[in-house]
PDB file of all heavy atoms in Angstrom:
ATOM      1  N   PRO A  38      -6.573  11.107  -3.504  1.00 96.00           N
ATOM      2  CA  PRO A  38      -7.350  11.322  -2.275  1.00 96.00           C
ATOM      3  C   PRO A  38      -6.566  11.973  -1.138  1.00 96.00           C
ATOM      4  O   PRO A  38      -7.162  12.385  -0.160  1.00 96.00           O
ATOM      5  CB  PRO A  38      -7.797   9.909  -1.894  1.00 96.00           C
ATOM      6  CG  PRO A  38      -6.877   8.993  -2.613  1.00 96.00           C
ATOM      7  CD  PRO A  38      -6.384   9.697  -3.828  1.00 96.00           C
ATOM      8  N   ALA A  73       9.216  28.029   1.873  1.00 97.00           N
ATOM      9  CA  ALA A  73       9.050  27.527   3.237  1.00 97.00           C
ATOM     10  C   ALA A  73       7.835  26.614   3.320  1.00 97.00           C
ATOM     11  O   ALA A  73       7.856  25.572   3.984  1.00 97.00           O
ATOM     12  CB  ALA A  73       8.906  28.697   4.214  1.00 97.00           C
ATOM     13  N   THR A  77       7.733  22.661   4.443  1.00 98.00           N
ATOM     14  CA  THR A  77       6.836  22.176   5.497  1.00 98.00           C
ATOM     15  C   THR A  77       5.979  21.033   4.982  1.00 98.00           C
ATOM     16  O   THR A  77       5.792  20.016   5.653  1.00 98.00           O
ATOM     17  CB  THR A  77       5.938  23.317   5.997  1.00 98.00           C
ATOM     18  OG1 THR A  77       6.771  24.363   6.506  1.00 98.00           O
ATOM     19  CG2 THR A  77       5.004  22.839   7.104  1.00 98.00           C
ATOM     20  N   TYR A  81       5.848  17.252   6.317  1.00 98.00           N
ATOM     21  CA  TYR A  81       4.581  16.669   6.756  1.00 98.00           C
ATOM     22  C   TYR A  81       4.358  15.305   6.104  1.00 98.00           C
ATOM     23  O   TYR A  81       4.083  14.320   6.796  1.00 98.00           O
ATOM     24  CB  TYR A  81       3.417  17.615   6.419  1.00 98.00           C
ATOM     25  CG  TYR A  81       2.078  17.005   6.731  1.00 98.00           C
ATOM     26  CD1 TYR A  81       1.579  17.001   8.032  1.00 98.00           C
ATOM     27  CD2 TYR A  81       1.325  16.398   5.731  1.00 98.00           C
ATOM     28  CE1 TYR A  81       0.364  16.410   8.327  1.00 98.00           C
ATOM     29  CE2 TYR A  81       0.108  15.807   6.018  1.00 98.00           C
ATOM     30  CZ  TYR A  81      -0.365  15.815   7.310  1.00 98.00           C
ATOM     31  OH  TYR A  81      -1.564  15.215   7.609  1.00 98.00           O
ATOM     32  N   GLU A  87       3.580   5.449   4.689  1.00 95.00           N
ATOM     33  CA  GLU A  87       3.146   4.817   3.439  1.00 95.00           C
ATOM     34  C   GLU A  87       3.343   5.715   2.224  1.00 95.00           C
ATOM     35  O   GLU A  87       3.024   5.330   1.103  1.00 95.00           O
ATOM     36  CB  GLU A  87       1.659   4.448   3.526  1.00 95.00           C
ATOM     37  CG  GLU A  87       1.314   3.495   4.645  1.00 95.00           C
ATOM     38  CD  GLU A  87       1.820   2.089   4.347  1.00 95.00           C
ATOM     39  OE1 GLU A  87       1.976   1.758   3.165  1.00 95.00           O
ATOM     40  OE2 GLU A  87       2.064   1.342   5.301  1.00 95.00           O
ATOM     41  N   ASN A 178      13.163  30.720   1.512  1.00 92.00           N
ATOM     42  CA  ASN A 178      11.763  30.760   1.899  1.00 92.00           C
ATOM     43  C   ASN A 178      10.852  31.251   0.780  1.00 92.00           C
ATOM     44  O   ASN A 178       9.712  30.842   0.681  1.00 92.00           O
ATOM     45  CB  ASN A 178      11.581  31.668   3.121  1.00 92.00           C
ATOM     46  CG  ASN A 178      11.888  30.932   4.404  1.00 92.00           C
ATOM     47  OD1 ASN A 178      12.255  29.753   4.376  1.00 92.00           O
ATOM     48  ND2 ASN A 178      11.744  31.612   5.518  1.00 92.00           N
ATOM     49  N   ARG A 230      23.130  35.681  -0.027  1.00 66.00           N
ATOM     50  CA  ARG A 230      22.702  34.704   0.955  1.00 66.00           C
ATOM     51  C   ARG A 230      23.122  35.114   2.361  1.00 66.00           C
ATOM     52  O   ARG A 230      24.219  35.353   2.630  1.00 66.00           O
ATOM     53  CB  ARG A 230      23.309  33.341   0.645  1.00 66.00           C
ATOM     54  CG  ARG A 230      22.905  32.788  -0.681  1.00 66.00           C
ATOM     55  CD  ARG A 230      21.438  32.510  -0.729  1.00 66.00           C
ATOM     56  NE  ARG A 230      20.924  32.074   0.548  1.00 66.00           N
ATOM     57  CZ  ARG A 230      20.939  30.818   0.971  1.00 66.00           C
ATOM     58  NH1 ARG A 230      21.401  29.893   0.200  1.00 66.00           N
ATOM     59  NH2 ARG A 230      20.456  30.490   2.131  1.00 66.00           N
TER      60      ARG A 230
ATOM     61  N   ARG B  97      18.867  37.328   8.423  1.00 89.00           N
ATOM     62  CA  ARG B  97      18.697  35.998   7.839  1.00 89.00           C
ATOM     63  C   ARG B  97      18.624  34.920   8.919  1.00 89.00           C
ATOM     64  O   ARG B  97      17.841  33.986   8.835  1.00 89.00           O
ATOM     65  CB  ARG B  97      19.847  35.695   6.890  1.00 89.00           C
ATOM     66  CG  ARG B  97      19.579  36.111   5.474  1.00 89.00           C
ATOM     67  CD  ARG B  97      20.485  35.345   4.535  1.00 89.00           C
ATOM     68  NE  ARG B  97      20.198  33.917   4.577  1.00 89.00           N
ATOM     69  CZ  ARG B  97      19.308  33.325   3.808  1.00 89.00           C
ATOM     70  NH1 ARG B  97      18.641  34.018   2.938  1.00 89.00           N
ATOM     71  NH2 ARG B  97      19.082  32.037   3.902  1.00 89.00           N
ATOM     72  N   THR B 104      11.440  30.515  10.803  1.00 97.00           N
ATOM     73  CA  THR B 104      10.912  29.475   9.910  1.00 97.00           C
ATOM     74  C   THR B 104      10.832  28.144  10.633  1.00 97.00           C
ATOM     75  O   THR B 104       9.815  27.445  10.571  1.00 97.00           O
ATOM     76  CB  THR B 104      11.813  29.349   8.671  1.00 97.00           C
ATOM     77  OG1 THR B 104      11.900  30.610   8.032  1.00 97.00           O
ATOM     78  CG2 THR B 104      11.260  28.329   7.706  1.00 97.00           C
ATOM     79  N   ARG B 108       7.440  26.181  11.447  1.00 98.00           N
ATOM     80  CA  ARG B 108       7.254  24.852  10.861  1.00 98.00           C
ATOM     81  C   ARG B 108       6.941  23.838  11.950  1.00 98.00           C
ATOM     82  O   ARG B 108       6.069  22.983  11.795  1.00 98.00           O
ATOM     83  CB  ARG B 108       8.517  24.471  10.100  1.00 98.00           C
ATOM     84  CG  ARG B 108       8.415  23.160   9.378  1.00 98.00           C
ATOM     85  CD  ARG B 108       9.524  23.009   8.376  1.00 98.00           C
ATOM     86  NE  ARG B 108       9.391  23.954   7.276  1.00 98.00           N
ATOM     87  CZ  ARG B 108      10.415  24.552   6.682  1.00 98.00           C
ATOM     88  NH1 ARG B 108      11.641  24.296   7.080  1.00 98.00           N
ATOM     89  NH2 ARG B 108      10.199  25.388   5.696  1.00 98.00           N
ATOM     90  N   GLU B 116      -3.221  17.559  11.744  1.00 93.00           N
ATOM     91  CA  GLU B 116      -3.757  16.212  11.936  1.00 93.00           C
ATOM     92  C   GLU B 116      -3.035  15.254  11.001  1.00 93.00           C
ATOM     93  O   GLU B 116      -2.523  15.655   9.966  1.00 93.00           O
ATOM     94  CB  GLU B 116      -5.239  16.216  11.630  1.00 93.00           C
ATOM     95  CG  GLU B 116      -5.513  17.009  10.370  1.00 93.00           C
ATOM     96  CD  GLU B 116      -6.964  17.046  10.014  1.00 93.00           C
ATOM     97  OE1 GLU B 116      -7.599  16.008  10.172  1.00 93.00           O
ATOM     98  OE2 GLU B 116      -7.432  18.097   9.581  1.00 93.00           O
ATOM     99  N   SER B 128       2.550  -3.078   7.219  1.00 46.00           N
ATOM    100  CA  SER B 128       2.892  -1.734   6.791  1.00 46.00           C
ATOM    101  C   SER B 128       3.780  -1.010   7.786  1.00 46.00           C
ATOM    102  O   SER B 128       4.361   0.013   7.466  1.00 46.00           O
ATOM    103  CB  SER B 128       1.620  -0.911   6.613  1.00 46.00           C
ATOM    104  OG  SER B 128       1.031  -0.700   7.880  1.00 46.00           O
ATOM    105  N   HIS B 157     -12.282  12.087   3.269  1.00 39.00           N
ATOM    106  CA  HIS B 157     -11.406  11.140   2.579  1.00 39.00           C
ATOM    107  C   HIS B 157     -12.134   9.814   2.459  1.00 39.00           C
ATOM    108  O   HIS B 157     -11.825   8.862   3.150  1.00 39.00           O
ATOM    109  CB  HIS B 157     -10.098  10.940   3.351  1.00 39.00           C
ATOM    110  CG  HIS B 157      -9.206  12.136   3.289  1.00 39.00           C
ATOM    111  ND1 HIS B 157      -8.254  12.299   2.323  1.00 39.00           N
ATOM    112  CD2 HIS B 157      -9.141  13.237   4.073  1.00 39.00           C
ATOM    113  CE1 HIS B 157      -7.626  13.446   2.505  1.00 39.00           C
ATOM    114  NE2 HIS B 157      -8.145  14.042   3.550  1.00 39.00           N
TER     115      HIS B 157
END
Side-chain angles (χ1 to χ4, degrees):
Chain A
T77 301
Y81 175 81
E87 301 288 334
N178 277 1
R230 299 295 326 274
Chain B
R97 269 201 64 89
T104 303
R108 184 165 292 143
E116 44 180 320
S128 68
H157 289 269

